[in-house]
Amino acid sequence: MAKKQGAALAVVALGLYIFGGILTFVGLYLIVFMHGNDVMGWGEGRSLGYLFFCAGLGLSVIGVLFMRIFRNRGFS
């Protein structure tokens, strides 16, 4: 049972890490190229870019921390 739980937690941690990386680069794109443009009615591109960039960095850090915690606790 512990192996299945460890594998699921590892997949979640890796998913957070990858999703955070994608969100970071989408945020950078929005900051650089969408300044002053409306993005699908959600708001101005630059402000959404900063939001995505910061959220992506946070998710990447959380994913790495989860991977380290799960490995050190013996879940993997």
Side-chain angles (χ1 to χ4, degrees):
M1 184 67 179
K3 282 287 192 185
K4 288 183 181 180
Q5 181 184 12
L9 292 173
V11 168
V12 168
L14 188 63
L16 280 174
Y17 177 67
I18 291 172
F19 185 66
I22 291 170
L23 208 59
T24 300
F25 283 107
V26 168
L28 285 175
Y29 172 80
L30 289 173
I31 291 169
V32 173
F33 294 113
M34 297 296 284
H35 176 66
N37 294 335
D38 186 47
V39 179
M40 297 186 291
W42 291 357
E44 200 249 334
R46 193 175 203 184
S47 61
L48 279 175
Y50 284 121
L51 173 69
F52 287 175
F53 180 73
C54 293
L57 287 178
L59 286 176
S60 292
V61 168
I62 289 171
V64 169
L65 287 175
F66 280 175
M67 283 188 262
R68 296 295 299 170
I69 290 170
F70 296 149
R71 181 172 181 193
N72 289 336
R73 304 285 173 164
F75 286 121
S76 61

